Amino acid sequence: MVFKRLVIKPNSYHDSIVLMRLARTVRNIDKVVAAQVGMATGLNKDAVREMGFVSQELETATANDLIVAVVAEAEDAIDNAEEVIKESLEGSARQEPGVKAAKIYATLSEAASVGGAGIAAISVPGEYAAREAGEALASGLHVFLFSDNVSVEDEVRLKKSGKEKGLFVMGPDCGTAVIGGLGLGFANKVRSGRIGIVAAAGTGLQQVMAIIDRLGEGISEAIGTGGRDLSKDVGGITTFMGLAFLESDPNTAVKVLISKPPHPSVRDNLIRMLDDGAKPVVVCFMGEEVGEARRSRSGKVLFAGDLEEAAILAYQLATGESKESLYSRDELDEMARKVMRRVDGGGYFRGLYSGGTLCHETLTMLRRMGIDVYSNIAQDRRLLIEDPLESFANTCIDMGEDYFTRGKPHPMLDPGMRVPRYIAEAGRKDVGILLFDVVLGYGCHRDPAGVMAEAVREAGRIRKDMGQGLAQIAVMVGTAGDPQGLEKQAAVLSEAGAEVLSSNRAAADLVSRIIKAQGGTRQCLR
Amino acid sequence: MLTIRNWPPEGGVINVGSGVFAESMQEQGANVYQVKWQPPAHGKAELIDILDELEGRSDIDKANQTAIERFSSAQPVLTGIGVAREAIPGFGDRMLLHAGPPITWGKMSGPLRGAVIGAILYEGWADSPEKAEELASKGDIEYSPCHEHSAVGPMAGVVSPRMPVFILENRTHGNRSYSTLNEGLGKVLRYGAYSEEVLDRLRWMEKVLAPILKKAIELSGGIDLKSMIAQALHMGDEVHNRNRAGTSLLIRALVPYLVEVDHPQADIRKCLEFVNSNDHFFLNLSMPAVKAMLEAAHGIHKSSVVTIMARNGTEFGIKVSGLGNQWFTGPAEIVKGLYFPGYSEEDANPDIGDSAITETAGVGGFAMAAAIPIVQFVGGAPEDAIRFSEKMYSITITENRHFTIPILNFRGTPTGIDIRKVVETGILPQINTGIAHKAPGVGQVGAGLVNPPWECFEKAIIAFGKEYADGN
Amino acid sequence: MDMYEQPFYLTAVSHGREFERVLKDRKTFKVHSVFTHAVNLVAGSGFLTILPLGRGCGKDVATVAVSERFSFFALDVSPGDEAGMPASCSLWLGEKTVIDFSGSKGWRSPLEAVNCLHTIGDENMAVLESALASKHNDSVFSRGFKFNVNSEPAACGGVIEDIRRTLLENDREGLEKALAGVIGFGPGLTPSGDDLVLGISLARSVFGTPWRSKGSIWEACVRRNLHKTSDLSAFFINRALEGCAHETVERALVYVLTGEPGEAKDAVGRLLSVGATSGCDIGLGIYLALNWQRRYAWCSKGW
């Protein structure tokens, strides 16, 4: 049995090459015996007639009309052929453009309409970010929302909508994530491994990942949530989704949760969920004092007091190996002695951070040691600095805070923005210890240590002119695989005269040792 | 039970915002779709609210599909030549048609005023330029946009009652469109020249050229302009600023019938020489051809497709399919481009002419990639021509089924400007155009690139929002 | 943070007084030239220079916080681009680069601290001399030059000897002739001969001011010959005649005059490592001027 179909499309113009190629494609369709696709010129009409088509329509067709004639052994082959023809003649954006250029899209929906993407990374100014995120969700994309200054209402709306659709909304104000091995935002190149992380804090996450990587273990997924996820309003939508995923993820053996302390109403549900899970979990609620117990009722939840401890505990659980801390007591003592020799005259401590979480951790650590530190992000009102440009006694500034980044790049993108302040602090007679962080990874500055090294050298020169010593301490958050090169970056800084540590807790510990050795534990308050 | 789909997400990443992140993800081997993000609607909150109401609306999308379908299926055919007063609907006795949105004498720029004076002299309503000017300014003459009479005119676009006009018919929908015959380059009426030489040429065109061409066209049974435009696009024209191929194709189509026309051979020869010596002769056919197509797409309830972009030398105006007869206007801009020796931007008149109808239809500046040699004329490098065309896909609804661009792998020209997309992306339609001298009668001083003023689209989206935001 | 426009951000750490012309008066400059480690701006006959931190400041210099390996060529800034300050504290170079001055400190010249006439100590002169001697092949002028503080340098010969002799003899025409072969001599935007003249001029200025010798034949002759060299180089020499130079040069001079030998050694070492030969040529100029001052007190004589 032979099936035939003739379709004439009046006033349809197509390039002959396109049509020839199309005819060939149609002929290759299974069960198609013969096919003709072309403009209704005399020659083409003859060919179609030879295929056995007779119709008045064919006779009156002109060279402006398209004829499609298909002969096949099965009816569905003809349907098939027609589908192919329709698709290729009316299909939208054609593939493989003749001139190859990196395609740049004007809008998110335009990019989404091409298909092929699974997630949208959004870093536009906050006022527009919710709109873009909404469009991404509508297009069925997960969202990594780097932008900050998104309202809580928008955050709740987006996260609820995402949850309904089964899509993640990481953020707003989500600095870092590692998803399926791909680092989003400011992300380090970490080994893949068995530890899965859900984190509300960008640099906090980077610090934990970097230490885990340094210890030789790796990450399965690192899901960011944004800083407000565990608030009462948001209710931990992304955190719960993330932890549920890690629980079911075959590549994850140990879960880690890093966040500011959650709202009490969220906290109970959260701990209950973690207790119900099968996998062990390390929880670090930054700034919260860890009780004696250190474990939840079920014993599955371990509480860590700081980022390094969270990384170490996760490492222990994943590998079964015992490891106390990144730096031994002796190593720290030795470092302290070495730095002390440089300080000679003593003096106040000044910290200039690009990572907000790290700054916060340092404040917490020093407070635990009984040292009061002024800061623009201090929770203790007495220690809060109103003018972030000023310093009093011991001061630690988060320079990634809004005040400094309004209309300017974040210090992780431009570490140089800290340099004038750094040099000014170095020029003050009553200052003896300078501390700063250097964050490596994708998305960060290409040579942050190089920039800070110049500042360290300049500070050294200034102090030499002043005839005073200065302790310069750097916390370096990064992995061997990072594009900047961890070892090279560390070497550049130590060559310039800074003591480089790869744990923020250890650096805070070092600072506290120096301050205590100078005898001044509690500086008088303003 | 919570289900998460596609996690960890397969496929690439769409990056909206920081290029630093796009680079770093590419470095990690990810497939990155980079969005060159701009604040939507130039960051204006009230416009963004309107956009949010209008975007993703299936009723509007459907209306636009209808408009596009009507546009694409239109079949403009050159059927003859007539006298403006008789052929063009609604032509008054003392009426002059002009390019662009409505305008009064007081606001007309130099070239348009010159053309009006010339037309008055040509019609014999006055016997000196001074008297013509007096007449023009007194309010005795009725001025009406070509576009409101299904006509189009390049530059000043002045059509007077006696002038011969091409008559085109859209064989699919039955609507007609009209345009004068192109006078050539140099001192010509459309650039505002009105010297005796100009008027003589117009008279010759009326007495000799028009009757001969009319007969040849009639003998041919009608010339299919749509396929001629499609072919011209494959021969290096974009049918706005480059019409060399189109003009040649037209001659090729006419010659067999011209030889049959019963007129003195010398006249026929002169006609052929005239058409042959003017690369832009086809412009006055490509314009009404796409006008006939676009008019078929106008008046579709809820359609946000732009159906007219036109300038009168003072203002730029657009019309939208679903917004009836409202013009949305803004001040016409100065064209950026290459000037002929001895002229500069200071000599330029603001953007003028109905020829932006070609861009409205997705050719002209939108099809620059088809006409790469044009960059020598309007400035820029070959890559720019390709880039300009590619950019226009971001503000159009679809790709033309008939007009294709060889170097873009025969991709259809960007078709159906959607005011929502223009406002969302902030990308304005790219027009390439001739530049008129601001003084009447000097003529063309250069060619280049220009955009409509943003205002047109801002006003249009506000009106569209008022009309359709509530979903009715 | 507005990231969608993404200009290239640089943070200024310190700036000389002349930068006030942009910072306060909003005067618009143009980019004059771009080097790996310097961007020069120009407006009329005035120049401003942007250098990386660690390469010193100066009256016409601003330093920015970038790493040692950073190249200004990466900035997408080209000669002819506008450099202006549409908003306070942000200096735009072209359309894509912005320098933030909000944290920048004003720079003070170390020469300001030199406010009385100094005797030039043997020890520091010896430091300068041995540093120059170890690199004597780096400057065309010091090749074959025998450094010996205490001996009469009559043997040095060539252009330097001509300068010394004509100055001693107050021979205006002879000096003119000698300088004609020096200013503009050598390749580059600051030719070797210019660097030598710059060094001499700067050192003279320290002594010249109190002795009121600024209008002597040296200054007049140098000024007359400046049209023979590049605008940028002429500008630097003019500044040197006024007693200003780049921090590294000023520091070397100040430490040789007033510092401990150790400090002088550091400062001179830094000077001599500037550029390919620039530092050595300037250092030689300083050395000659100081030597002649010790020997003949030429500034007090008004040559």
Side-chain angles (χ1 to χ4, degrees), chain C residues 1 3 36 41 50 63 97 111 115-116 137 150 152 158 162 166-167 186 190 208 224 229 236 242 261 279 296 301 303:
Chain C
M1 140 179 48
M3 293 190 68
T36 317
L41 310 178
I50 295 155
T63 57
T97 302
L111 276 173
N115 52 11
C116 58
N137 275 330
N150 296 316
E152 193 70 18
D162 290 344
T166 51
L167 277 171
T190 58
R224 260 201 306 281
T229 188
F236 288 146
E242 291 164 18
Y296 319 116
K301 289 184 183 150
W303 291 321

Side-chain angles (χ1 to χ4, degrees), chain C residues 52-73:
Chain C
L53 181 63
R55 284 178 184 261
C57 203
K59 195 175 172 188
D60 313 281
V61 177
T63 57
V64 293
V66 293
S67 58
E68 195 179 24
R69 282 171 292 169
F70 181 81
S71 162
F72 283 125
F73 287 122

Side-chain angles (χ1 to χ4, degrees), chain C residues 56-291:
Chain C
C57 203
K59 195 175 172 188
D60 313 281
V61 177
T63 57
V64 293
V66 293
S67 58
E68 195 179 24
R69 282 171 292 169
F70 181 81
S71 162
F72 283 125
F73 287 122
L75 288 180
D76 205 357
V77 171
S78 322
D81 285 353
E82 274 212 352
M85 217 169 244
S88 67
C89 294
S90 299
L91 173 69
W92 283 84
L93 302 184
E95 283 172 1
K96 290 184 192 149
T97 302
V98 63
I99 303 179
D100 180 4
F101 276 87
S102 59
S104 177
K105 278 207 320 189
W107 176 82
R108 306 273 309 247
S109 163
L111 276 173
E112 283 174 30
V114 182
N115 52 11
C116 58
L117 284 184
H118 285 265
T119 49
I120 303 162
D122 283 352
E123 227 175 331
N124 285 359
M125 275 305 280
V127 165
L128 177 57
E129 190 184 85
S130 70
L132 281 168
S134 73
K135 300 188 102 182
H136 74 276
N137 275 330
D138 286 10
S139 166
V140 279
F141 298 104
S142 58
R143 261 173 230 158
F145 187 91
K146 281 204 191 70
F147 288 97
N148 187 347
V149 183
N150 296 316
S151 80
E152 193 70 18
C156 65
V159 165
I160 290 172
E161 173 57 18
D162 290 344
I163 294 174
R164 187 188 69 87
R165 189 180 41 74
T166 51
L167 277 171
L168 270 180
E169 292 166 2
N170 210 8
D171 170 7
R172 184 186 297 265
E173 274 168 37
L175 180 62
E176 188 98 30
K177 229 170 157 185
L179 276 182
V182 177
I183 292 183
F185 173 82
L189 268 177
T190 58
S192 282
D194 292 13
D195 289 328
L196 180 79
V197 171
L198 187 147
I200 297 176
S201 300
L202 182 74
R204 269 183 67 89
S205 76
V206 177
F207 296 93
T209 308
W211 293 113
R212 294 186 188 83
S213 65
K214 282 205 160 174
S216 79
I217 64 165
W218 170 260
E219 279 72 22
C221 225
V222 168
R223 284 205 171 90
R224 260 201 306 281
N225 279 284
L226 284 183
H227 66 275
K228 290 180 185 157
T229 188
S230 72
D231 287 351
L232 182 66
S233 188
F235 173 78
F236 288 146
I237 294 174
N238 255 321
R239 274 277 186 269
L241 291 170
E242 291 164 18
C244 308
H246 182 269
E247 182 176 7
T248 311
V249 183
E250 291 192 3
R251 271 177 174 270
L253 177 58
V254 167
Y255 282 109
V256 169
L257 287 174
T258 67
E260 300 295 320
E263 292 172 337
K265 194 177 170 202
D266 280 358
V268 168
R270 288 177 71 82
L271 171 62
L272 298 198
S273 65
V274 168
T277 63
S278 281
C280 291
D281 290 321
I282 294 171
L284 177 63
I286 290 175
Y287 168 79
L288 293 173
L290 296 185
N291 201 12

Side-chain angles (χ1 to χ4, degrees), chain A residues 11 13 64 93-94 96 105 107-108 110 116-121 123 128 131-132 142 166 179 183 442 446, chain B residues 3 5-6 11-12 14 16 18 27-28 34-37 43 52 55 75 224 227 394 399 401-402 409-410 424:
Chain A
N11 308 321
Y13 306 91
N64 295 327
R94 286 173 205 166
E96 50 183 73
Y105 303 87
T107 59
L108 188 144
E110 193 187 334
I119 184 168
S123 55
Y128 305 109
R131 190 169 188 275
E132 300 294 332
H142 295 283
I179 307 298
Y442 292 107
R446 290 281 141 160
Chain B
T3 47
R5 57 175 179 187
N6 187 24
I14 294 178
V16 192
S18 170
E27 213 176 306
Q28 296 175 71
Q34 173 66 355
V35 174
K36 188 171 164 45
W37 188 85
D52 287 344
E55 277 178 352
Q75 176 69 1
D224 174 7
S227 63
S394 296
E399 297 168 16
R401 296 208 291 268
H402 314 294
N409 201 22
F410 296 98
E424 161 97 42

Side-chain angles (χ1 to χ4, degrees), chain A residues 381-395:
Chain A
R381 284 187 160 270
R382 298 167 311 148
L383 296 172
L384 188 70
I385 288 177
E386 272 163 31
D387 182 354
L389 296 178
E390 284 183 47
S391 310
F392 301 98
N394 294 322
T395 299

Side-chain angles (χ1 to χ4, degrees), chain B residues 14-210:
Chain B
I14 294 178
N15 186 55
V16 192
S18 170
V20 175
F21 292 148
E23 267 172 44
S24 73
M25 288 187 289
Q26 265 157 354
E27 213 176 306
Q28 296 175 71
N31 192 5
V32 179
Y33 302 83
Q34 173 66 355
V35 174
K36 188 171 164 45
W37 188 85
Q38 291 284 320
H42 287 193
K44 292 189 180 172
E46 68 275 21
L47 298 184
I48 295 173
D49 287 346
I50 297 173
L51 278 182
D52 287 344
E53 289 276 346
L54 298 175
E55 277 178 352
R57 281 262 301 272
S58 58
D59 53 339
I60 296 174
D61 292 344
K62 215 177 130 204
N64 285 341
Q65 284 311 323
T66 307
I68 296 287
E69 188 47 42
R70 285 179 65 87
F71 170 81
S72 301
S73 60
Q75 176 69 1
V77 174
L78 171 62
T79 57
I81 290 177
V83 177
R85 180 182 53 239
E86 292 157 9
I88 298 179
F91 215 121
D93 283 342
R94 285 242 160 165
M95 182 186 270
L96 293 178
L97 305 188
H98 62 79
I103 190 167
T104 55
W105 172 262
K107 289 188 176 155
M108 285 182 194
S109 63
L112 184 49
R113 283 190 174 199
V116 165
I117 292 167
I120 290 172
L121 294 171
Y122 169 72
E123 290 290 333
W125 297 337
D127 53 15
S128 73
E130 295 71 30
K131 283 186 186 154
E133 195 169 339
E134 200 191 321
L135 196 65
S137 61
K138 264 195 346 210
D140 286 356
I141 311 279
E142 194 183 341
Y143 301 108
S144 187
C146 289
H147 269 298
E148 294 185 354
H149 301 265
S150 304
V152 279
M155 288 294 150
V158 167
V159 186
S160 72
R162 253 176 63 193
M163 283 181 188
V165 289
F166 286 126
I167 301 171
L168 282 75
E169 194 180 310
N170 169 6
R171 290 258 161 96
T172 311
H173 305 101
N175 61 304
R176 291 182 169 199
S177 66
Y178 313 91
S179 168
T180 51
L181 281 58
N182 196 292
E183 313 157 71
L185 288 168
K187 283 204 160 58
V188 285
L189 189 76
R190 69 174 189 281
Y191 281 103
Y194 50 77
S195 61
E196 208 42 45
E197 167 198 352
V198 176
L199 300 177
D200 279 347
R201 190 187 308 110
L202 287 174
R203 287 183 200 110
W204 174 82
M205 287 169 72
E206 179 189 339
K207 296 274 159 19
V208 181
L209 180 69

